[in-house]
Amino acid sequence: MTKVLIIGAGHAGGTVAALLRQYGHEGEIVLAGEEPAPPYQRPPLSKAWLKGETDLEGLLLRPESFYAEHGIELRLGASATAINAAARTVIFADGAVESYDALILATGSTARKLTIPGAERPELLELRTLVDAERLKAALGPGRRLAIIGGGYVGLEAAASARALGSDAVVVERMDRVLARVASHTLSDFFTGYHRRHGVEILTSAEVTAVEDDGARLADGRLVEADAVLVGVGALACDQLALGAGLTCENGVVVDETARTSDPAIWAIGDATFRPVPTHAGRRHRLESVPNALEQAKQAAAAITGRAPPAAEVPWFWSDQYDVKLQIAGLPDGADRQVVRGDPDPAGDSPSFAVFHLQGDRVLCVEAVNAGPEFMAGRMMIGRGTPVDPEKLADPSVSMKAVAVG
Ligand code: FAD
């Protein structure tokens, strides 16, 4: 009977272990991860958990007892160091060797490090794991000032949570706008305004050249004073094991639509992968999101248990900041125009709007701010390739149902 070894006990690893049992896998399942905690959700680390609105139990994907109850051997604090693909074994840091029939790499991603003077300071904060989040939380509170290097989602969410905890927060972004790599100008402008409205200082086109005792030094000589500095400059795929085993890697472990790698006995899922996106012409992307981890967990579990592959999903993502729920579906590359529906003014009461990225009359991506119906309809239209009338789309008085052409 097939023995499945899963390396990485995060969102993707924890999910695929449970799905294998749900799909009828009767063989051995070993789920090995290097963190001390059972599989948990990371999104609340910068949001509800950081603000003290949920505890560790609330973070766990499943109660710790679930794994033993379902015959899943959960090994925590177990760091895999090499794969011997020919022998079908994995070697661990403590010298243990584990065999497999099917191997699933669910090693996630790791926080990108700065390479400037002071980057090695032990007091510098990052936000990837529960341990990181505990350190950040300890640095926050009334009268404290947090400097965040990087205006991406994690940095902005941390800024919003810092404000909720009574801290001052300043975001320092090298590009000329926050969320520059991942969102439209409209969305960047909205979040900049909304954060400023909530007392966050946002500095753009500001490059940090050193981290010092009193804060972050900028290229123009200014010192951004802070009691604590959080680095949030993106994440890199953890693909070292795959590279060492000779698997094809390119911005992550290259997989197909069934999450299989270039070795037929090895699958890879979650943040660590560079995967084709069928709803976007099959182009490869590295998607760092919970929905992606769940989708690929389904793909791998289906393939290993001999089930039909699950239907392709439109990629999506969310972020919570203050009272704003951002939901994004699809991918904008290839779009030739943007249509804004609603009012993106950050000074407005109860903001609600959506930015649609179109290629011709097809929606490729929707960025929805407190706009659930636009998100839901947009996601469906992306999946189905529904043609839309851009004029009607821009008019919030026309229902989302009525914007489809024909
Ligand atoms: P992870 O959950 O990172 O798990 C990978 C695990 O593998 C880790 O525990 C790691 O220690 C372990 N590992 C790595 N190498 C080894 C090894 N050699 N041996 C053993 N174990 C190993 N996504 C959203 O969709 N919405 C959000 O709002 C959102 N917010 C986020 C906020 C924060 C602060 C962070 C950090 C992420 C957020 N994400 C969000 C992203 C989301 O959490 C990830 O996409 C998701 O966790 C990916 O799951 P994964 O299993 O691939 O990786």
Side-chain angles (χ1 to χ4, degrees):
M1 206 167 297
T2 312
K3 172 179 173 183
V4 183
L5 173 59
I6 304 162
I7 302 298
H11 218 122
T15 303
V16 77
L19 280 177
L20 283 164
R21 284 287 180 248
Q22 193 183 317
Y23 291 178
H25 178 74
E26 290 178 352
E28 215 181 314
I29 301 176
V30 177
L31 172 59
E34 65 192 4
E35 288 189 71
Y40 61 90
Q41 312 168 61
R42 284 172 218 280
L45 296 181
S46 50
K47 313 177 184 81
W49 184 89
L50 192 56
K51 289 186 282 180
E53 293 166 2
T54 185
D55 57 9
L56 176 62
E57 290 299 304
L59 287 187
L60 295 183
L61 279 188
R62 293 178 178 77
E64 188 164 4
S65 57
F66 170 90
Y67 302 94
E69 283 162 15
H70 289 79
I72 297 164
E73 189 183 332
L74 178 61
R75 268 190 227 158
L76 301 176
S79 179
T81 52
I83 300 168
N84 183 337
R88 295 200 175 173
T89 56
V90 170
I91 297 103
F92 288 83
D94 64 359
V97 177
E98 192 69 42
S99 66
Y100 64 83
D101 299 305
L103 173 64
I104 304 177
L105 298 176
T107 47
S109 52
T110 181
R112 189 193 291 271
K113 312 281 180 207
L114 289 176
T115 53
I116 54 174
E120 66 298 334
R121 285 171 172 261
E123 71 275 16
L124 221 58
L125 301 166
E126 58 183 34
L127 185 48
R128 183 75 219 161
T129 66
L130 182 55
V131 173
D132 297 336
E134 280 165 349
R135 289 184 64 215
L136 172 60
K137 199 174 195 172
L140 297 176
R144 314 297 299 273
R145 183 170 154 91
L146 176 71
I148 299 158
I149 304 178
Y153 287 116
V154 168
L156 293 182
E157 289 175 356
S161 298
R163 293 297 295 141
L165 292 169
S167 294
D168 287 335
V170 50
V171 175
V172 186
E173 169 56 53
R174 183 169 65 164
M175 311 285 276
D176 61 358
R177 60 185 178 106
V178 298
L179 303 176
R181 285 182 304 114
V182 288
S184 62
H185 278 82
T186 307
L187 205 62
S188 297
D189 290 347
F190 170 77
F191 275 111
T192 300
Y194 213 65
H195 275 275
R196 286 187 175 145
R197 185 175 156 181
H198 286 81
V200 175
E201 197 180 333
I202 301 218
L203 306 176
T204 50
S205 304
E207 174 137 24
V208 175
T209 51
V211 180
E212 303 177 357
D213 284 343
D214 299 328
R217 181 71 63 184
L218 303 186
D220 63 9
R222 273 182 296 166
L223 178 70
V224 177
E225 284 186 68
D227 302 299
V229 177
L230 170 67
V231 181
V233 293
L236 300 171
C238 290
D239 57 3
Q240 302 88 334
L241 284 176
L243 280 167
L247 304 185
T248 307
C249 293
E250 183 193 329
N251 185 23
V253 189
V254 172
V255 292
D256 66 13
E257 300 76 10
T258 67
R260 204 188 286 250
T261 69
S262 54
D263 180 322
I266 307 179
W267 282 258
I269 59 178
D271 280 15
T273 65
F274 191 49
R275 54 157 293 182
V277 182
T279 53
H280 291 259
R283 281 189 300 274
R284 282 182 199 284
H285 289 264
R286 201 168 77 72
L287 302 175
E288 289 170 22
S289 73
V290 165
N292 171 63
L294 301 180
E295 184 191 12
Q296 288 189 298
K298 278 187 252 169
Q299 292 172 350
I304 290 169
T305 56
R307 283 196 161 205
E313 292 174 21
V314 175
W316 71 277
F317 176 82
W318 81 92
S319 172
D320 298 320
Q321 297 167 45
Y322 311 105
D323 54 352
V324 166
K325 175 163 268 319
L326 167 70
Q327 293 164 296
I328 299 180
L331 300 164
D333 28 315
D336 48 46
R337 69 187 286 192
Q338 291 175 17
V339 171
V340 179
R341 182 179 162 95
D343 183 4
D345 180 3
D349 292 334
S350 321
S352 168
F353 67 95
V355 182
F356 289 86
H357 299 247
L358 304 186
Q359 186 178 54
D361 59 0
R362 311 288 156 137
V363 180
L364 294 185
C365 175
V366 55
E367 300 167 314
V369 168
N370 290 340
E374 278 73 10
F375 169 73
M376 298 296 283
R379 185 163 70 157
M380 220 167 63
M381 289 166 168
I382 297 165
R384 293 183 182 165
T386 313
V388 296
D389 178 335
E391 307 267 301
K392 289 184 180 165
L393 190 60
D395 182 353
S397 70
V398 178
S399 80
M400 281 304 292
K401 262 195 190 141
V403 305
V405 173

PDB file of all heavy atoms in Angstrom, residues 374-401:
ATOM      1  N   GLU A 374     -19.426  42.242  -6.360  1.00  0.00           N
ATOM      2  CA  GLU A 374     -18.515  42.457  -7.492  1.00  0.00           C
ATOM      3  C   GLU A 374     -17.448  41.358  -7.519  1.00  0.00           C
ATOM      4  O   GLU A 374     -17.083  40.849  -8.578  1.00  0.00           O
ATOM      5  CB  GLU A 374     -17.843  43.835  -7.390  1.00  0.00           C
ATOM      6  CG  GLU A 374     -18.681  44.989  -7.906  1.00  0.00           C
ATOM      7  CD  GLU A 374     -19.841  45.367  -7.000  1.00  0.00           C
ATOM      8  OE1 GLU A 374     -19.901  44.861  -5.851  1.00  0.00           O
ATOM      9  OE2 GLU A 374     -20.695  46.161  -7.429  1.00  0.00           O
ATOM     10  N   PHE A 375     -16.958  41.000  -6.331  1.00  0.00           N
ATOM     11  CA  PHE A 375     -15.944  39.940  -6.268  1.00  0.00           C
ATOM     12  C   PHE A 375     -16.521  38.619  -6.771  1.00  0.00           C
ATOM     13  O   PHE A 375     -15.937  37.956  -7.633  1.00  0.00           O
ATOM     14  CB  PHE A 375     -15.435  39.792  -4.828  1.00  0.00           C
ATOM     15  CG  PHE A 375     -14.604  38.559  -4.623  1.00  0.00           C
ATOM     16  CD1 PHE A 375     -13.320  38.476  -5.144  1.00  0.00           C
ATOM     17  CD2 PHE A 375     -15.118  37.470  -3.933  1.00  0.00           C
ATOM     18  CE1 PHE A 375     -12.555  37.330  -4.974  1.00  0.00           C
ATOM     19  CE2 PHE A 375     -14.360  36.326  -3.762  1.00  0.00           C
ATOM     20  CZ  PHE A 375     -13.078  36.257  -4.284  1.00  0.00           C
ATOM     21  N   MET A 376     -17.689  38.256  -6.247  1.00  0.00           N
ATOM     22  CA  MET A 376     -18.294  36.961  -6.615  1.00  0.00           C
ATOM     23  C   MET A 376     -18.594  36.906  -8.112  1.00  0.00           C
ATOM     24  O   MET A 376     -18.259  35.927  -8.788  1.00  0.00           O
ATOM     25  CB  MET A 376     -19.599  36.728  -5.841  1.00  0.00           C
ATOM     26  CG  MET A 376     -19.436  36.652  -4.344  1.00  0.00           C
ATOM     27  SD  MET A 376     -18.436  35.253  -3.840  1.00  0.00           S
ATOM     28  CE  MET A 376     -19.653  33.969  -4.045  1.00  0.00           C
ATOM     29  N   ALA A 377     -19.248  37.965  -8.607  1.00  0.00           N
ATOM     30  CA  ALA A 377     -19.616  37.976 -10.029  1.00  0.00           C
ATOM     31  C   ALA A 377     -18.365  38.026 -10.898  1.00  0.00           C
ATOM     32  O   ALA A 377     -18.264  37.326 -11.908  1.00  0.00           O
ATOM     33  CB  ALA A 377     -20.517  39.180 -10.323  1.00  0.00           C
ATOM     34  N   GLY A 378     -17.384  38.844 -10.482  1.00  0.00           N
ATOM     35  CA  GLY A 378     -16.145  38.962 -11.253  1.00  0.00           C
ATOM     36  C   GLY A 378     -15.425  37.629 -11.341  1.00  0.00           C
ATOM     37  O   GLY A 378     -14.966  37.224 -12.402  1.00  0.00           O
ATOM     38  N   ARG A 379     -15.359  36.932 -10.217  1.00  0.00           N
ATOM     39  CA  ARG A 379     -14.665  35.641 -10.208  1.00  0.00           C
ATOM     40  C   ARG A 379     -15.346  34.656 -11.169  1.00  0.00           C
ATOM     41  O   ARG A 379     -14.692  33.922 -11.911  1.00  0.00           O
ATOM     42  CB  ARG A 379     -14.653  35.079  -8.784  1.00  0.00           C
ATOM     43  CG  ARG A 379     -13.844  33.808  -8.675  1.00  0.00           C
ATOM     44  CD  ARG A 379     -13.488  33.455  -7.269  1.00  0.00           C
ATOM     45  NE  ARG A 379     -14.640  33.031  -6.504  1.00  0.00           N
ATOM     46  CZ  ARG A 379     -14.567  32.269  -5.417  1.00  0.00           C
ATOM     47  NH1 ARG A 379     -13.399  31.871  -4.973  1.00  0.00           N
ATOM     48  NH2 ARG A 379     -15.642  31.925  -4.758  1.00  0.00           N
ATOM     49  N   MET A 380     -16.682  34.672 -11.144  1.00  0.00           N
ATOM     50  CA  MET A 380     -17.426  33.776 -12.035  1.00  0.00           C
ATOM     51  C   MET A 380     -17.169  34.137 -13.501  1.00  0.00           C
ATOM     52  O   MET A 380     -16.970  33.276 -14.360  1.00  0.00           O
ATOM     53  CB  MET A 380     -18.910  33.882 -11.723  1.00  0.00           C
ATOM     54  CG  MET A 380     -19.635  32.574 -11.766  1.00  0.00           C
ATOM     55  SD  MET A 380     -21.248  32.783 -11.010  1.00  0.00           S
ATOM     56  CE  MET A 380     -21.988  33.971 -12.109  1.00  0.00           C
ATOM     57  N   MET A 381     -17.173  35.445 -13.775  1.00  0.00           N
ATOM     58  CA  MET A 381     -16.961  35.889 -15.165  1.00  0.00           C
ATOM     59  C   MET A 381     -15.570  35.517 -15.662  1.00  0.00           C
ATOM     60  O   MET A 381     -15.387  35.158 -16.825  1.00  0.00           O
ATOM     61  CB  MET A 381     -17.136  37.413 -15.249  1.00  0.00           C
ATOM     62  CG  MET A 381     -18.583  37.835 -15.090  1.00  0.00           C
ATOM     63  SD  MET A 381     -18.691  39.597 -14.778  1.00  0.00           S
ATOM     64  CE  MET A 381     -20.452  39.839 -15.018  1.00  0.00           C
ATOM     65  N   ILE A 382     -14.583  35.604 -14.774  1.00  0.00           N
ATOM     66  CA  ILE A 382     -13.215  35.234 -15.168  1.00  0.00           C
ATOM     67  C   ILE A 382     -13.189  33.739 -15.512  1.00  0.00           C
ATOM     68  O   ILE A 382     -12.680  33.330 -16.542  1.00  0.00           O
ATOM     69  CB  ILE A 382     -12.209  35.541 -14.028  1.00  0.00           C
ATOM     70  CG1 ILE A 382     -12.173  37.033 -13.741  1.00  0.00           C
ATOM     71  CG2 ILE A 382     -10.823  35.014 -14.382  1.00  0.00           C
ATOM     72  CD1 ILE A 382     -11.499  37.400 -12.419  1.00  0.00           C
ATOM     73  N   GLY A 383     -13.796  32.932 -14.654  1.00  0.00           N
ATOM     74  CA  GLY A 383     -13.801  31.477 -14.854  1.00  0.00           C
ATOM     75  C   GLY A 383     -14.521  31.083 -16.122  1.00  0.00           C
ATOM     76  O   GLY A 383     -14.092  30.165 -16.837  1.00  0.00           O
ATOM     77  N   ARG A 384     -15.600  31.789 -16.437  1.00  0.00           N
ATOM     78  CA  ARG A 384     -16.412  31.405 -17.603  1.00  0.00           C
ATOM     79  C   ARG A 384     -16.041  32.162 -18.871  1.00  0.00           C
ATOM     80  O   ARG A 384     -16.581  31.869 -19.941  1.00  0.00           O
ATOM     81  CB  ARG A 384     -17.892  31.677 -17.305  1.00  0.00           C
ATOM     82  CG  ARG A 384     -18.426  30.781 -16.218  1.00  0.00           C
ATOM     83  CD  ARG A 384     -19.900  31.038 -16.011  1.00  0.00           C
ATOM     84  NE  ARG A 384     -20.423  30.214 -14.940  1.00  0.00           N
ATOM     85  CZ  ARG A 384     -21.580  30.414 -14.337  1.00  0.00           C
ATOM     86  NH1 ARG A 384     -22.344  31.430 -14.715  1.00  0.00           N
ATOM     87  NH2 ARG A 384     -21.992  29.617 -13.382  1.00  0.00           N
ATOM     88  N   GLY A 385     -15.199  33.188 -18.732  1.00  0.00           N
ATOM     89  CA  GLY A 385     -14.858  34.000 -19.904  1.00  0.00           C
ATOM     90  C   GLY A 385     -16.040  34.795 -20.409  1.00  0.00           C
ATOM     91  O   GLY A 385     -16.193  35.017 -21.618  1.00  0.00           O
ATOM     92  N   THR A 386     -16.913  35.234 -19.513  1.00  0.00           N
ATOM     93  CA  THR A 386     -18.131  35.958 -19.900  1.00  0.00           C
ATOM     94  C   THR A 386     -17.784  37.333 -20.480  1.00  0.00           C
ATOM     95  O   THR A 386     -17.088  38.111 -19.829  1.00  0.00           O
ATOM     96  CB  THR A 386     -19.008  36.216 -18.650  1.00  0.00           C
ATOM     97  OG1 THR A 386     -19.101  34.996 -17.922  1.00  0.00           O
ATOM     98  CG2 THR A 386     -20.375  36.741 -19.015  1.00  0.00           C
ATOM     99  N   PRO A 387     -18.270  37.673 -21.700  1.00  0.00           N
ATOM    100  CA  PRO A 387     -18.039  39.032 -22.199  1.00  0.00           C
ATOM    101  C   PRO A 387     -18.892  40.046 -21.427  1.00  0.00           C
ATOM    102  O   PRO A 387     -20.030  39.732 -21.060  1.00  0.00           O
ATOM    103  CB  PRO A 387     -18.480  38.964 -23.668  1.00  0.00           C
ATOM    104  CG  PRO A 387     -19.252  37.707 -23.819  1.00  0.00           C
ATOM    105  CD  PRO A 387     -18.996  36.820 -22.647  1.00  0.00           C
ATOM    106  N   VAL A 388     -18.327  41.222 -21.173  1.00  0.00           N
ATOM    107  CA  VAL A 388     -19.070  42.239 -20.412  1.00  0.00           C
ATOM    108  C   VAL A 388     -19.098  43.553 -21.183  1.00  0.00           C
ATOM    109  O   VAL A 388     -18.278  43.794 -22.057  1.00  0.00           O
ATOM    110  CB  VAL A 388     -18.423  42.499 -19.028  1.00  0.00           C
ATOM    111  CG1 VAL A 388     -18.482  41.260 -18.157  1.00  0.00           C
ATOM    112  CG2 VAL A 388     -16.988  42.995 -19.158  1.00  0.00           C
ATOM    113  N   ASP A 389     -20.058  44.397 -20.811  1.00  0.00           N
ATOM    114  CA  ASP A 389     -20.162  45.736 -21.379  1.00  0.00           C
ATOM    115  C   ASP A 389     -19.457  46.695 -20.405  1.00  0.00           C
ATOM    116  O   ASP A 389     -19.964  46.945 -19.308  1.00  0.00           O
ATOM    117  CB  ASP A 389     -21.652  46.095 -21.517  1.00  0.00           C
ATOM    118  CG  ASP A 389     -21.846  47.497 -22.058  1.00  0.00           C
ATOM    119  OD1 ASP A 389     -20.932  48.336 -21.884  1.00  0.00           O
ATOM    120  OD2 ASP A 389     -22.913  47.761 -22.641  1.00  0.00           O
ATOM    121  N   PRO A 390     -18.283  47.240 -20.794  1.00  0.00           N
ATOM    122  CA  PRO A 390     -17.505  48.069 -19.862  1.00  0.00           C
ATOM    123  C   PRO A 390     -18.283  49.278 -19.327  1.00  0.00           C
ATOM    124  O   PRO A 390     -18.093  49.677 -18.182  1.00  0.00           O
ATOM    125  CB  PRO A 390     -16.304  48.515 -20.686  1.00  0.00           C
ATOM    126  CG  PRO A 390     -16.205  47.547 -21.805  1.00  0.00           C
ATOM    127  CD  PRO A 390     -17.592  47.074 -22.086  1.00  0.00           C
ATOM    128  N   GLU A 391     -19.149  49.857 -20.172  1.00  0.00           N
ATOM    129  CA  GLU A 391     -19.921  51.039 -19.736  1.00  0.00           C
ATOM    130  C   GLU A 391     -20.843  50.658 -18.579  1.00  0.00           C
ATOM    131  O   GLU A 391     -20.926  51.351 -17.570  1.00  0.00           O
ATOM    132  CB  GLU A 391     -20.805  51.557 -20.888  1.00  0.00           C
ATOM    133  CG  GLU A 391     -20.045  51.811 -22.167  1.00  0.00           C
ATOM    134  CD  GLU A 391     -19.586  53.251 -22.243  1.00  0.00           C
ATOM    135  OE1 GLU A 391     -20.448  54.126 -22.197  1.00  0.00           O
ATOM    136  OE2 GLU A 391     -18.346  53.465 -22.311  1.00  0.00           O
ATOM    137  N   LYS A 392     -21.521  49.540 -18.771  1.00  0.00           N
ATOM    138  CA  LYS A 392     -22.441  49.082 -17.718  1.00  0.00           C
ATOM    139  C   LYS A 392     -21.660  48.681 -16.468  1.00  0.00           C
ATOM    140  O   LYS A 392     -22.091  48.924 -15.345  1.00  0.00           O
ATOM    141  CB  LYS A 392     -23.273  47.894 -18.209  1.00  0.00           C
ATOM    142  CG  LYS A 392     -24.317  48.255 -19.250  1.00  0.00           C
ATOM    143  CD  LYS A 392     -25.135  47.027 -19.598  1.00  0.00           C
ATOM    144  CE  LYS A 392     -26.192  47.349 -20.634  1.00  0.00           C
ATOM    145  NZ  LYS A 392     -26.753  46.142 -21.228  1.00  0.00           N
ATOM    146  N   LEU A 393     -20.496  48.057 -16.685  1.00  0.00           N
ATOM    147  CA  LEU A 393     -19.673  47.608 -15.560  1.00  0.00           C
ATOM    148  C   LEU A 393     -19.277  48.798 -14.682  1.00  0.00           C
ATOM    149  O   LEU A 393     -19.203  48.690 -13.448  1.00  0.00           O
ATOM    150  CB  LEU A 393     -18.419  46.916 -16.105  1.00  0.00           C
ATOM    151  CG  LEU A 393     -17.526  46.163 -15.122  1.00  0.00           C
ATOM    152  CD1 LEU A 393     -18.284  45.055 -14.425  1.00  0.00           C
ATOM    153  CD2 LEU A 393     -16.313  45.587 -15.851  1.00  0.00           C
ATOM    154  N   ALA A 394     -19.019  49.944 -15.311  1.00  0.00           N
ATOM    155  CA  ALA A 394     -18.565  51.128 -14.565  1.00  0.00           C
ATOM    156  C   ALA A 394     -19.710  51.785 -13.797  1.00  0.00           C
ATOM    157  O   ALA A 394     -19.472  52.676 -12.981  1.00  0.00           O
ATOM    158  CB  ALA A 394     -17.952  52.135 -15.534  1.00  0.00           C
ATOM    159  N   ASP A 395     -20.929  51.353 -14.051  1.00  0.00           N
ATOM    160  CA  ASP A 395     -22.098  52.020 -13.452  1.00  0.00           C
ATOM    161  C   ASP A 395     -22.663  51.164 -12.312  1.00  0.00           C
ATOM    162  O   ASP A 395     -23.336  50.164 -12.550  1.00  0.00           O
ATOM    163  CB  ASP A 395     -23.150  52.218 -14.550  1.00  0.00           C
ATOM    164  CG  ASP A 395     -24.383  52.938 -14.029  1.00  0.00           C
ATOM    165  OD1 ASP A 395     -24.481  53.162 -12.802  1.00  0.00           O
ATOM    166  OD2 ASP A 395     -25.253  53.270 -14.860  1.00  0.00           O
ATOM    167  N   PRO A 396     -22.423  51.578 -11.067  1.00  0.00           N
ATOM    168  CA  PRO A 396     -22.864  50.748  -9.932  1.00  0.00           C
ATOM    169  C   PRO A 396     -24.384  50.590  -9.856  1.00  0.00           C
ATOM    170  O   PRO A 396     -24.869  49.702  -9.149  1.00  0.00           O
ATOM    171  CB  PRO A 396     -22.356  51.507  -8.697  1.00  0.00           C
ATOM    172  CG  PRO A 396     -21.384  52.506  -9.192  1.00  0.00           C
ATOM    173  CD  PRO A 396     -21.713  52.788 -10.625  1.00  0.00           C
ATOM    174  N   SER A 397     -25.132  51.434 -10.613  1.00  0.00           N
ATOM    175  CA  SER A 397     -26.591  51.279 -10.557  1.00  0.00           C
ATOM    176  C   SER A 397     -27.056  50.119 -11.445  1.00  0.00           C
ATOM    177  O   SER A 397     -28.199  49.672 -11.357  1.00  0.00           O
ATOM    178  CB  SER A 397     -27.286  52.584 -10.965  1.00  0.00           C
ATOM    179  OG  SER A 397     -27.102  52.796 -12.338  1.00  0.00           O
ATOM    180  N   VAL A 398     -26.144  49.622 -12.318  1.00  0.00           N
ATOM    181  CA  VAL A 398     -26.490  48.451 -13.133  1.00  0.00           C
ATOM    182  C   VAL A 398     -26.032  47.211 -12.358  1.00  0.00           C
ATOM    183  O   VAL A 398     -24.874  47.131 -11.928  1.00  0.00           O
ATOM    184  CB  VAL A 398     -25.750  48.506 -14.504  1.00  0.00           C
ATOM    185  CG1 VAL A 398     -26.076  47.276 -15.333  1.00  0.00           C
ATOM    186  CG2 VAL A 398     -26.096  49.778 -15.251  1.00  0.00           C
ATOM    187  N   SER A 399     -26.921  46.259 -12.175  1.00  0.00           N
ATOM    188  CA  SER A 399     -26.553  45.092 -11.366  1.00  0.00           C
ATOM    189  C   SER A 399     -25.452  44.299 -12.075  1.00  0.00           C
ATOM    190  O   SER A 399     -25.334  44.349 -13.301  1.00  0.00           O
ATOM    191  CB  SER A 399     -27.773  44.191 -11.145  1.00  0.00           C
ATOM    192  OG  SER A 399     -27.961  43.399 -12.298  1.00  0.00           O
ATOM    193  N   MET A 400     -24.657  43.549 -11.288  1.00  0.00           N
ATOM    194  CA  MET A 400     -23.571  42.769 -11.878  1.00  0.00           C
ATOM    195  C   MET A 400     -24.119  41.732 -12.862  1.00  0.00           C
ATOM    196  O   MET A 400     -23.453  41.384 -13.832  1.00  0.00           O
ATOM    197  CB  MET A 400     -22.737  42.104 -10.785  1.00  0.00           C
ATOM    198  CG  MET A 400     -21.745  43.020 -10.096  1.00  0.00           C
ATOM    199  SD  MET A 400     -20.595  43.841 -11.245  1.00  0.00           S
ATOM    200  CE  MET A 400     -19.599  42.473 -11.838  1.00  0.00           C
ATOM    201  N   LYS A 401     -25.333  41.260 -12.623  1.00  0.00           N
ATOM    202  CA  LYS A 401     -25.933  40.289 -13.552  1.00  0.00           C
ATOM    203  C   LYS A 401     -26.146  40.926 -14.921  1.00  0.00           C
ATOM    204  O   LYS A 401     -25.996  40.267 -15.944  1.00  0.00           O
ATOM    205  CB  LYS A 401     -27.293  39.847 -13.002  1.00  0.00           C
ATOM    206  CG  LYS A 401     -27.238  38.550 -12.263  1.00  0.00           C
ATOM    207  CD  LYS A 401     -28.625  37.997 -12.074  1.00  0.00           C
ATOM    208  CE  LYS A 401     -28.560  36.833 -11.120  1.00  0.00           C
ATOM    209  NZ  LYS A 401     -29.680  36.778 -10.209  1.00  0.00           N
TER     210      LYS A 401
END
